[in-house]
Amino acid sequence: MTDSPPRAAQELDAEDAKLVTLARGARARAGAAEGAAVRDDDGRTYAAATVVLPSLTLTALQAAVAAAVSSGAQELEAAVVVGTATEIDPASVAAAGDLGAAALILAGPDGAVRSRR
């Protein structure tokens, strides 16, 4: 038996489906509320999970955007957030927007796409 992606993830193009997989992995590894992944205009991908420390709090998407920027990314093609929320929070939308993300995808913990803008 193979572990295939959820049907909605299969309907995404291969690059966006990869982002869903990376975001799910980041969320699972960290045991976090959310995982996120972004793809820059060179095709490089970055994944992160929610960060909650006494001195620092970042949404998963903010953390993924920060990882991309710290690696030299100047523009994003797409961003994915995986979690239980029904919408991507405004701080995350703003972070992705700072780098012009053309696509914002929200998926549930199972990888099923809930929304795309």
Side-chain angles (χ1 to χ4, degrees), residues 29-88:
R29 275 191 307 281
E34 290 183 337
V38 299
R39 183 178 61 253
D40 71 13
D41 57 338
D42 288 330
R44 295 176 297 187
T45 57
Y46 308 88
T50 308
V51 175
V52 180
L53 300 170
S55 64
L56 177 66
T57 301
L58 296 172
T59 67
L61 188 49
Q62 287 174 322
V65 168
V69 169
S70 69
S71 295
Q74 296 182 16
E75 188 174 338
L76 296 179
E77 292 181 348
V80 169
V81 176
V82 170
T84 59
T86 56
E87 62 185 33
I88 301 174

mmCIF file of all heavy atoms in Angstrom, residues 29-88:
data_model
loop_
_atom_site.group_PDB
_atom_site.id
_atom_site.type_symbol
_atom_site.label_atom_id
_atom_site.label_comp_id
_atom_site.label_asym_id
_atom_site.label_seq_id
_atom_site.Cartn_x
_atom_site.Cartn_y
_atom_site.Cartn_z
ATOM 1 N N ARG A 29 6.995 17.581 12.262
ATOM 2 C CA ARG A 29 8.292 17.511 12.955
ATOM 3 C C ARG A 29 8.304 18.362 14.210
ATOM 4 O O ARG A 29 8.851 17.975 15.239
ATOM 5 C CB ARG A 29 9.428 17.962 12.035
ATOM 6 C CG ARG A 29 9.972 16.891 11.136
ATOM 7 C CD ARG A 29 11.253 17.334 10.450
ATOM 8 N NE ARG A 29 11.133 18.609 9.758
ATOM 9 C CZ ARG A 29 10.572 18.781 8.566
ATOM 10 N NH1 ARG A 29 10.068 17.732 7.922
ATOM 11 N NH2 ARG A 29 10.528 19.960 8.002
ATOM 12 N N ALA A 30 7.717 19.544 14.118
ATOM 13 C CA ALA A 30 7.741 20.470 15.253
ATOM 14 C C ALA A 30 6.581 20.249 16.222
ATOM 15 O O ALA A 30 6.581 20.809 17.318
ATOM 16 C CB ALA A 30 7.718 21.908 14.742
ATOM 17 N N GLY A 31 5.601 19.460 15.811
ATOM 18 C CA GLY A 31 4.408 19.294 16.640
ATOM 19 C C GLY A 31 3.693 20.620 16.824
ATOM 20 O O GLY A 31 3.142 20.906 17.884
ATOM 21 N N ALA A 32 3.726 21.445 15.782
ATOM 22 C CA ALA A 32 3.214 22.814 15.861
ATOM 23 C C ALA A 32 1.784 22.928 15.357
ATOM 24 O O ALA A 32 1.264 22.028 14.697
ATOM 25 C CB ALA A 32 4.117 23.730 15.040
ATOM 26 N N ALA A 33 1.187 24.067 15.643
ATOM 27 C CA ALA A 33 -0.176 24.334 15.192
ATOM 28 C C ALA A 33 -0.251 24.436 13.673
ATOM 29 O O ALA A 33 -1.228 24.007 13.063
ATOM 30 C CB ALA A 33 -0.686 25.627 15.823
ATOM 31 N N GLU A 34 0.793 25.027 13.074
ATOM 32 C CA GLU A 34 0.811 25.207 11.628
ATOM 33 C C GLU A 34 2.174 24.867 11.058
ATOM 34 O O GLU A 34 3.191 24.978 11.733
ATOM 35 C CB GLU A 34 0.522 26.668 11.250
ATOM 36 C CG GLU A 34 -0.878 27.140 11.484
ATOM 37 C CD GLU A 34 -1.070 28.574 11.020
ATOM 38 O OE1 GLU A 34 -0.101 29.338 10.929
ATOM 39 O OE2 GLU A 34 -2.231 28.918 10.734
ATOM 40 N N GLY A 35 2.158 24.502 9.809
ATOM 41 C CA GLY A 35 3.373 24.376 9.015
ATOM 42 C C GLY A 35 3.170 25.196 7.762
ATOM 43 O O GLY A 35 2.032 25.417 7.341
ATOM 44 N N ALA A 36 4.254 25.672 7.188
ATOM 45 C CA ALA A 36 4.147 26.459 5.964
ATOM 46 C C ALA A 36 5.342 26.160 5.075
ATOM 47 O O ALA A 36 6.395 25.718 5.547
ATOM 48 C CB ALA A 36 4.091 27.953 6.278
ATOM 49 N N ALA A 37 5.160 26.425 3.796
ATOM 50 C CA ALA A 37 6.251 26.295 2.838
ATOM 51 C C ALA A 37 6.054 27.350 1.766
ATOM 52 O O ALA A 37 4.917 27.703 1.426
ATOM 53 C CB ALA A 37 6.283 24.908 2.219
ATOM 54 N N VAL A 38 7.166 27.858 1.267
ATOM 55 C CA VAL A 38 7.130 28.855 0.200
ATOM 56 C C VAL A 38 8.101 28.453 -0.899
ATOM 57 O O VAL A 38 9.051 27.699 -0.665
ATOM 58 C CB VAL A 38 7.473 30.273 0.722
ATOM 59 C CG1 VAL A 38 6.464 30.728 1.767
ATOM 60 C CG2 VAL A 38 8.888 30.341 1.278
ATOM 61 N N ARG A 39 7.837 28.962 -2.096
ATOM 62 C CA ARG A 39 8.728 28.744 -3.239
ATOM 63 C C ARG A 39 9.104 30.111 -3.797
ATOM 64 O O ARG A 39 8.228 30.940 -4.054
ATOM 65 C CB ARG A 39 8.035 27.908 -4.312
ATOM 66 C CG ARG A 39 8.909 27.580 -5.508
ATOM 67 C CD ARG A 39 8.211 26.697 -6.541
ATOM 68 N NE ARG A 39 7.010 27.315 -7.109
ATOM 69 C CZ ARG A 39 5.767 26.946 -6.837
ATOM 70 N NH1 ARG A 39 5.522 25.937 -6.007
ATOM 71 N NH2 ARG A 39 4.745 27.567 -7.397
ATOM 72 N N ASP A 40 10.409 30.338 -3.950
ATOM 73 C CA ASP A 40 10.839 31.635 -4.487
ATOM 74 C C ASP A 40 10.870 31.611 -6.011
ATOM 75 O O ASP A 40 10.576 30.583 -6.634
ATOM 76 C CB ASP A 40 12.169 32.082 -3.868
ATOM 77 C CG ASP A 40 13.383 31.286 -4.326
ATOM 78 O OD1 ASP A 40 13.301 30.517 -5.314
ATOM 79 O OD2 ASP A 40 14.434 31.430 -3.682
ATOM 80 N N ASP A 41 11.215 32.748 -6.587
ATOM 81 C CA ASP A 41 11.173 32.863 -8.045
ATOM 82 C C ASP A 41 12.285 32.086 -8.741
ATOM 83 O O ASP A 41 12.271 31.953 -9.967
ATOM 84 C CB ASP A 41 11.187 34.328 -8.479
ATOM 85 C CG ASP A 41 12.379 35.108 -7.953
ATOM 86 O OD1 ASP A 41 12.973 34.697 -6.942
ATOM 87 O OD2 ASP A 41 12.722 36.141 -8.553
ATOM 88 N N ASP A 42 13.226 31.528 -7.981
ATOM 89 C CA ASP A 42 14.250 30.637 -8.539
ATOM 90 C C ASP A 42 13.875 29.165 -8.368
ATOM 91 O O ASP A 42 14.638 28.282 -8.739
ATOM 92 C CB ASP A 42 15.610 30.876 -7.873
ATOM 93 C CG ASP A 42 16.235 32.190 -8.289
ATOM 94 O OD1 ASP A 42 15.986 32.638 -9.433
ATOM 95 O OD2 ASP A 42 16.973 32.776 -7.481
ATOM 96 N N GLY A 43 12.703 28.896 -7.757
ATOM 97 C CA GLY A 43 12.253 27.527 -7.550
ATOM 98 C C GLY A 43 12.723 26.896 -6.254
ATOM 99 O O GLY A 43 12.416 25.742 -5.984
ATOM 100 N N ARG A 44 13.477 27.647 -5.450
ATOM 101 C CA ARG A 44 13.927 27.109 -4.157
ATOM 102 C C ARG A 44 12.758 27.110 -3.170
ATOM 103 O O ARG A 44 11.910 27.997 -3.210
ATOM 104 C CB ARG A 44 15.082 27.946 -3.597
ATOM 105 C CG ARG A 44 16.335 27.885 -4.456
ATOM 106 C CD ARG A 44 17.409 28.800 -3.935
ATOM 107 N NE ARG A 44 16.928 30.185 -4.012
ATOM 108 C CZ ARG A 44 17.677 31.244 -3.749
ATOM 109 N NH1 ARG A 44 18.930 31.100 -3.354
ATOM 110 N NH2 ARG A 44 17.179 32.462 -3.861
ATOM 111 N N THR A 45 12.742 26.113 -2.306
ATOM 112 C CA THR A 45 11.655 25.997 -1.335
ATOM 113 C C THR A 45 12.190 26.123 0.082
ATOM 114 O O THR A 45 13.327 25.748 0.377
ATOM 115 C CB THR A 45 10.909 24.661 -1.486
ATOM 116 O OG1 THR A 45 11.846 23.587 -1.353
ATOM 117 C CG2 THR A 45 10.203 24.568 -2.827
ATOM 118 N N TYR A 46 11.330 26.631 0.955
ATOM 119 C CA TYR A 46 11.646 26.826 2.367
ATOM 120 C C TYR A 46 10.423 26.422 3.173
ATOM 121 O O TYR A 46 9.301 26.759 2.804
ATOM 122 C CB TYR A 46 11.968 28.305 2.644
ATOM 123 C CG TYR A 46 13.009 28.864 1.710
ATOM 124 C CD1 TYR A 46 12.628 29.416 0.485
ATOM 125 C CD2 TYR A 46 14.359 28.814 2.028
ATOM 126 C CE1 TYR A 46 13.579 29.908 -0.396
ATOM 127 C CE2 TYR A 46 15.309 29.312 1.155
ATOM 128 C CZ TYR A 46 14.913 29.853 -0.058
ATOM 129 O OH TYR A 46 15.851 30.340 -0.926
ATOM 130 N N ALA A 47 10.645 25.709 4.259
ATOM 131 C CA ALA A 47 9.531 25.260 5.100
ATOM 132 C C ALA A 47 9.818 25.624 6.545
ATOM 133 O O ALA A 47 10.978 25.692 6.971
ATOM 134 C CB ALA A 47 9.339 23.754 4.965
ATOM 135 N N ALA A 48 8.753 25.845 7.291
ATOM 136 C CA ALA A 48 8.891 26.198 8.707
ATOM 137 C C ALA A 48 7.593 25.880 9.436
ATOM 138 O O ALA A 48 6.555 25.639 8.811
ATOM 139 C CB ALA A 48 9.226 27.678 8.859
ATOM 140 N N ALA A 49 7.690 25.906 10.753
ATOM 141 C CA ALA A 49 6.520 25.692 11.615
ATOM 142 C C ALA A 49 6.326 26.916 12.498
ATOM 143 O O ALA A 49 7.207 27.780 12.591
ATOM 144 C CB ALA A 49 6.723 24.448 12.480
ATOM 145 N N THR A 50 5.191 26.982 13.144
ATOM 146 C CA THR A 50 4.904 28.050 14.088
ATOM 147 C C THR A 50 6.009 28.124 15.136
ATOM 148 O O THR A 50 6.478 27.089 15.622
ATOM 149 C CB THR A 50 3.554 27.770 14.797
ATOM 150 O OG1 THR A 50 2.560 27.527 13.797
ATOM 151 C CG2 THR A 50 3.134 28.914 15.686
ATOM 152 N N VAL A 51 6.421 29.337 15.474
ATOM 153 C CA VAL A 51 7.446 29.561 16.499
ATOM 154 C C VAL A 51 6.805 30.302 17.659
ATOM 155 O O VAL A 51 6.243 31.380 17.466
ATOM 156 C CB VAL A 51 8.619 30.402 15.939
ATOM 157 C CG1 VAL A 51 9.631 30.729 17.038
ATOM 158 C CG2 VAL A 51 9.284 29.694 14.769
ATOM 159 N N VAL A 52 6.874 29.705 18.852
ATOM 160 C CA VAL A 52 6.352 30.359 20.046
ATOM 161 C C VAL A 52 7.407 30.250 21.142
ATOM 162 O O VAL A 52 7.615 29.174 21.710
ATOM 163 C CB VAL A 52 5.022 29.733 20.522
ATOM 164 C CG1 VAL A 52 4.513 30.443 21.778
ATOM 165 C CG2 VAL A 52 3.974 29.779 19.423
ATOM 166 N N LEU A 53 8.085 31.363 21.381
ATOM 167 C CA LEU A 53 9.107 31.469 22.414
ATOM 168 C C LEU A 53 8.751 32.651 23.312
ATOM 169 O O LEU A 53 7.991 33.528 22.893
ATOM 170 C CB LEU A 53 10.490 31.709 21.787
ATOM 171 C CG LEU A 53 11.019 30.642 20.834
ATOM 172 C CD1 LEU A 53 12.274 31.153 20.129
ATOM 173 C CD2 LEU A 53 11.303 29.369 21.598
ATOM 174 N N PRO A 54 9.315 32.702 24.497
ATOM 175 C CA PRO A 54 9.019 33.860 25.349
ATOM 176 C C PRO A 54 9.366 35.196 24.678
ATOM 177 O O PRO A 54 8.674 36.193 24.877
ATOM 178 C CB PRO A 54 9.895 33.631 26.581
ATOM 179 C CG PRO A 54 10.065 32.155 26.642
ATOM 180 C CD PRO A 54 10.122 31.704 25.202
ATOM 181 N N SER A 55 10.395 35.217 23.855
ATOM 182 C CA SER A 55 10.832 36.475 23.240
ATOM 183 C C SER A 55 10.486 36.604 21.763
ATOM 184 O O SER A 55 10.784 37.625 21.151
ATOM 185 C CB SER A 55 12.344 36.625 23.411
ATOM 186 O OG SER A 55 13.002 35.578 22.709
ATOM 187 N N LEU A 56 9.875 35.581 21.160
ATOM 188 C CA LEU A 56 9.614 35.612 19.726
ATOM 189 C C LEU A 56 8.415 34.738 19.375
ATOM 190 O O LEU A 56 8.363 33.569 19.758
ATOM 191 C CB LEU A 56 10.845 35.103 18.961
ATOM 192 C CG LEU A 56 10.740 34.997 17.442
ATOM 193 C CD1 LEU A 56 10.588 36.380 16.814
ATOM 194 C CD2 LEU A 56 11.954 34.283 16.883
ATOM 195 N N THR A 57 7.480 35.306 18.635
ATOM 196 C CA THR A 57 6.341 34.541 18.133
ATOM 197 C C THR A 57 6.190 34.825 16.647
ATOM 198 O O THR A 57 6.125 35.975 16.238
ATOM 199 C CB THR A 57 5.042 34.927 18.878
ATOM 200 O OG1 THR A 57 5.211 34.669 20.271
ATOM 201 C CG2 THR A 57 3.863 34.123 18.365
ATOM 202 N N LEU A 58 6.187 33.748 15.854
ATOM 203 C CA LEU A 58 6.010 33.863 14.407
ATOM 204 C C LEU A 58 4.987 32.835 13.951
ATOM 205 O O LEU A 58 4.987 31.706 14.432
ATOM 206 C CB LEU A 58 7.317 33.580 13.662
ATOM 207 C CG LEU A 58 8.494 34.512 13.878
ATOM 208 C CD1 LEU A 58 9.738 33.939 13.214
ATOM 209 C CD2 LEU A 58 8.183 35.885 13.338
ATOM 210 N N THR A 59 4.158 33.230 13.003
ATOM 211 C CA THR A 59 3.317 32.228 12.369
ATOM 212 C C THR A 59 4.236 31.358 11.510
ATOM 213 O O THR A 59 5.374 31.743 11.195
ATOM 214 C CB THR A 59 2.252 32.874 11.461
ATOM 215 O OG1 THR A 59 2.897 33.492 10.338
ATOM 216 C CG2 THR A 59 1.397 33.884 12.221
ATOM 217 N N ALA A 60 3.744 30.219 11.118
ATOM 218 C CA ALA A 60 4.551 29.332 10.274
ATOM 219 C C ALA A 60 4.927 30.021 8.966
ATOM 220 O O ALA A 60 6.070 29.906 8.502
ATOM 221 C CB ALA A 60 3.800 28.033 10.005
ATOM 222 N N LEU A 61 3.991 30.761 8.384
ATOM 223 C CA LEU A 61 4.291 31.432 7.123
ATOM 224 C C LEU A 61 5.293 32.562 7.326
ATOM 225 O O LEU A 61 6.184 32.766 6.503
ATOM 226 C CB LEU A 61 3.013 31.930 6.451
ATOM 227 C CG LEU A 61 3.158 32.477 5.037
ATOM 228 C CD1 LEU A 61 3.949 31.542 4.124
ATOM 229 C CD2 LEU A 61 1.797 32.775 4.444
ATOM 230 N N GLN A 62 5.185 33.303 8.412
ATOM 231 C CA GLN A 62 6.188 34.326 8.699
ATOM 232 C C GLN A 62 7.573 33.697 8.822
ATOM 233 O O GLN A 62 8.560 34.228 8.311
ATOM 234 C CB GLN A 62 5.850 35.077 9.985
ATOM 235 C CG GLN A 62 4.687 36.032 9.866
ATOM 236 C CD GLN A 62 4.310 36.631 11.208
ATOM 237 O OE1 GLN A 62 4.355 35.959 12.240
ATOM 238 N NE2 GLN A 62 3.926 37.893 11.202
ATOM 239 N N ALA A 63 7.660 32.543 9.491
ATOM 240 C CA ALA A 63 8.945 31.863 9.665
ATOM 241 C C ALA A 63 9.491 31.370 8.325
ATOM 242 O O ALA A 63 10.694 31.476 8.059
ATOM 243 C CB ALA A 63 8.807 30.705 10.650
ATOM 244 N N ALA A 64 8.619 30.851 7.470
ATOM 245 C CA ALA A 64 9.068 30.383 6.154
ATOM 246 C C ALA A 64 9.527 31.550 5.289
ATOM 247 O O ALA A 64 10.543 31.454 4.589
ATOM 248 C CB ALA A 64 7.947 29.604 5.458
ATOM 249 N N VAL A 65 8.808 32.661 5.349
ATOM 250 C CA VAL A 65 9.214 33.856 4.603
ATOM 251 C C VAL A 65 10.555 34.364 5.129
ATOM 252 O O VAL A 65 11.450 34.711 4.354
ATOM 253 C CB VAL A 65 8.129 34.955 4.667
ATOM 254 C CG1 VAL A 65 8.658 36.287 4.143
ATOM 255 C CG2 VAL A 65 6.890 34.524 3.886
ATOM 256 N N ALA A 66 10.728 34.375 6.447
ATOM 257 C CA ALA A 66 11.996 34.810 7.032
ATOM 258 C C ALA A 66 13.148 33.915 6.571
ATOM 259 O O ALA A 66 14.240 34.403 6.252
ATOM 260 C CB ALA A 66 11.901 34.818 8.558
ATOM 261 N N ALA A 67 12.914 32.612 6.514
ATOM 262 C CA ALA A 67 13.948 31.684 6.046
ATOM 263 C C ALA A 67 14.305 31.982 4.589
ATOM 264 O O ALA A 67 15.483 31.982 4.208
ATOM 265 C CB ALA A 67 13.480 30.236 6.196
ATOM 266 N N ALA A 68 13.301 32.258 3.778
ATOM 267 C CA ALA A 68 13.539 32.564 2.371
ATOM 268 C C ALA A 68 14.332 33.860 2.223
ATOM 269 O O ALA A 68 15.322 33.911 1.479
ATOM 270 C CB ALA A 68 12.203 32.656 1.621
ATOM 271 N N VAL A 69 13.910 34.889 2.931
ATOM 272 C CA VAL A 69 14.590 36.180 2.842
ATOM 273 C C VAL A 69 16.032 36.069 3.343
ATOM 274 O O VAL A 69 16.953 36.611 2.726
ATOM 275 C CB VAL A 69 13.819 37.259 3.627
ATOM 276 C CG1 VAL A 69 14.644 38.539 3.777
ATOM 277 C CG2 VAL A 69 12.495 37.558 2.942
ATOM 278 N N SER A 70 16.232 35.318 4.431
ATOM 279 C CA SER A 70 17.588 35.192 4.976
ATOM 280 C C SER A 70 18.500 34.389 4.058
ATOM 281 O O SER A 70 19.719 34.426 4.199
ATOM 282 C CB SER A 70 17.558 34.574 6.375
ATOM 283 O OG SER A 70 17.178 33.218 6.325
ATOM 284 N N SER A 71 17.904 33.696 3.085
ATOM 285 C CA SER A 71 18.688 32.952 2.100
ATOM 286 C C SER A 71 18.809 33.712 0.776
ATOM 287 O O SER A 71 19.319 33.173 -0.201
ATOM 288 C CB SER A 71 18.049 31.585 1.851
ATOM 289 O OG SER A 71 18.120 30.811 3.025
ATOM 290 N N GLY A 72 18.296 34.923 0.739
ATOM 291 C CA GLY A 72 18.452 35.759 -0.438
ATOM 292 C C GLY A 72 17.257 35.876 -1.352
ATOM 293 O O GLY A 72 17.331 36.552 -2.375
ATOM 294 N N ALA A 73 16.140 35.240 -1.015
ATOM 295 C CA ALA A 73 14.949 35.335 -1.870
ATOM 296 C C ALA A 73 14.427 36.767 -1.877
ATOM 297 O O ALA A 73 14.414 37.437 -0.843
ATOM 298 C CB ALA A 73 13.861 34.387 -1.380
ATOM 299 N N GLN A 74 14.004 37.207 -3.045
ATOM 300 C CA GLN A 74 13.444 38.547 -3.178
ATOM 301 C C GLN A 74 11.998 38.534 -3.656
ATOM 302 O O GLN A 74 11.317 39.548 -3.592
ATOM 303 C CB GLN A 74 14.302 39.374 -4.133
ATOM 304 C CG GLN A 74 15.698 39.593 -3.583
ATOM 305 C CD GLN A 74 16.539 40.458 -4.501
ATOM 306 O OE1 GLN A 74 16.041 41.131 -5.390
ATOM 307 N NE2 GLN A 74 17.834 40.448 -4.270
ATOM 308 N N GLU A 75 11.549 37.375 -4.126
ATOM 309 C CA GLU A 75 10.176 37.255 -4.616
ATOM 310 C C GLU A 75 9.687 35.823 -4.415
ATOM 311 O O GLU A 75 10.462 34.880 -4.539
ATOM 312 C CB GLU A 75 10.127 37.606 -6.101
ATOM 313 C CG GLU A 75 8.730 37.692 -6.657
ATOM 314 C CD GLU A 75 8.719 38.176 -8.107
ATOM 315 O OE1 GLU A 75 9.683 38.821 -8.539
ATOM 316 O OE2 GLU A 75 7.729 37.875 -8.798
ATOM 317 N N LEU A 76 8.404 35.680 -4.085
ATOM 318 C CA LEU A 76 7.806 34.359 -3.909
ATOM 319 C C LEU A 76 6.804 34.086 -5.015
ATOM 320 O O LEU A 76 6.037 34.966 -5.400
ATOM 321 C CB LEU A 76 7.084 34.263 -2.563
ATOM 322 C CG LEU A 76 7.934 34.389 -1.306
ATOM 323 C CD1 LEU A 76 7.050 34.292 -0.064
ATOM 324 C CD2 LEU A 76 9.022 33.340 -1.278
ATOM 325 N N GLU A 77 6.821 32.848 -5.483
ATOM 326 C CA GLU A 77 5.816 32.407 -6.450
ATOM 327 C C GLU A 77 4.570 31.899 -5.743
ATOM 328 O O GLU A 77 3.457 32.129 -6.209
ATOM 329 C CB GLU A 77 6.376 31.289 -7.326
ATOM 330 C CG GLU A 77 7.464 31.723 -8.259
ATOM 331 C CD GLU A 77 7.971 30.577 -9.118
ATOM 332 O OE1 GLU A 77 7.642 29.403 -8.846
ATOM 333 O OE2 GLU A 77 8.707 30.867 -10.068
ATOM 334 N N ALA A 78 4.773 31.168 -4.641
ATOM 335 C CA ALA A 78 3.635 30.542 -3.964
ATOM 336 C C ALA A 78 3.952 30.310 -2.497
ATOM 337 O O ALA A 78 5.111 30.202 -2.111
ATOM 338 C CB ALA A 78 3.294 29.209 -4.633
ATOM 339 N N ALA A 79 2.876 30.233 -1.708
ATOM 340 C CA ALA A 79 2.998 29.954 -0.281
ATOM 341 C C ALA A 79 1.848 29.046 0.134
ATOM 342 O O ALA A 79 0.725 29.187 -0.347
ATOM 343 C CB ALA A 79 2.947 31.253 0.519
ATOM 344 N N VAL A 80 2.165 28.114 1.024
ATOM 345 C CA VAL A 80 1.162 27.171 1.544
ATOM 346 C C VAL A 80 1.195 27.199 3.061
ATOM 347 O O VAL A 80 2.269 27.222 3.666
ATOM 348 C CB VAL A 80 1.459 25.736 1.054
ATOM 349 C CG1 VAL A 80 0.595 24.717 1.787
ATOM 350 C CG2 VAL A 80 1.253 25.618 -0.436
ATOM 351 N N VAL A 81 0.020 27.190 3.672
ATOM 352 C CA VAL A 81 -0.115 27.039 5.115
ATOM 353 C C VAL A 81 -0.941 25.791 5.371
ATOM 354 O O VAL A 81 -1.998 25.602 4.756
ATOM 355 C CB VAL A 81 -0.800 28.268 5.767
ATOM 356 C CG1 VAL A 81 -1.018 28.040 7.256
ATOM 357 C CG2 VAL A 81 0.016 29.529 5.529
ATOM 358 N N VAL A 82 -0.472 24.937 6.273
ATOM 359 C CA VAL A 82 -1.191 23.722 6.653
ATOM 360 C C VAL A 82 -1.513 23.807 8.139
ATOM 361 O O VAL A 82 -0.635 24.082 8.966
ATOM 362 C CB VAL A 82 -0.342 22.455 6.382
ATOM 363 C CG1 VAL A 82 -0.986 21.229 6.999
ATOM 364 C CG2 VAL A 82 -0.149 22.269 4.891
ATOM 365 N N GLY A 83 -2.759 23.583 8.479
ATOM 366 C CA GLY A 83 -3.182 23.611 9.884
ATOM 367 C C GLY A 83 -4.684 23.452 9.974
ATOM 368 O O GLY A 83 -5.351 23.118 8.989
ATOM 369 N N THR A 84 -5.219 23.734 11.149
ATOM 370 C CA THR A 84 -6.650 23.561 11.371
ATOM 371 C C THR A 84 -7.460 24.830 11.145
ATOM 372 O O THR A 84 -8.686 24.783 11.158
ATOM 373 C CB THR A 84 -6.910 23.051 12.807
ATOM 374 O OG1 THR A 84 -6.367 24.000 13.731
ATOM 375 C CG2 THR A 84 -6.277 21.689 13.027
ATOM 376 N N ALA A 85 -6.799 25.951 10.918
ATOM 377 C CA ALA A 85 -7.500 27.222 10.720
ATOM 378 C C ALA A 85 -8.348 27.178 9.446
ATOM 379 O O ALA A 85 -8.064 26.425 8.515
ATOM 380 C CB ALA A 85 -6.493 28.365 10.634
ATOM 381 N N THR A 86 -9.367 28.005 9.427
ATOM 382 C CA THR A 86 -10.241 28.075 8.255
ATOM 383 C C THR A 86 -9.833 29.193 7.303
ATOM 384 O O THR A 86 -10.396 29.309 6.221
ATOM 385 C CB THR A 86 -11.708 28.270 8.671
ATOM 386 O OG1 THR A 86 -11.800 29.450 9.481
ATOM 387 C CG2 THR A 86 -12.199 27.056 9.469
ATOM 388 N N GLU A 87 -8.882 30.020 7.728
ATOM 389 C CA GLU A 87 -8.348 31.055 6.851
ATOM 390 C C GLU A 87 -6.920 31.382 7.266
ATOM 391 O O GLU A 87 -6.523 31.119 8.398
ATOM 392 C CB GLU A 87 -9.213 32.307 6.851
ATOM 393 C CG GLU A 87 -9.319 32.986 8.196
ATOM 394 C CD GLU A 87 -10.288 34.170 8.169
ATOM 395 O OE1 GLU A 87 -11.281 34.108 7.429
ATOM 396 O OE2 GLU A 87 -10.034 35.137 8.900
ATOM 397 N N ILE A 88 -6.167 31.937 6.350
ATOM 398 C CA ILE A 88 -4.799 32.347 6.649
ATOM 399 C C ILE A 88 -4.865 33.685 7.368
ATOM 400 O O ILE A 88 -5.537 34.611 6.909
ATOM 401 C CB ILE A 88 -3.956 32.459 5.365
ATOM 402 C CG1 ILE A 88 -3.916 31.108 4.634
ATOM 403 C CG2 ILE A 88 -2.540 32.931 5.690
ATOM 404 C CD1 ILE A 88 -3.241 31.145 3.281
#
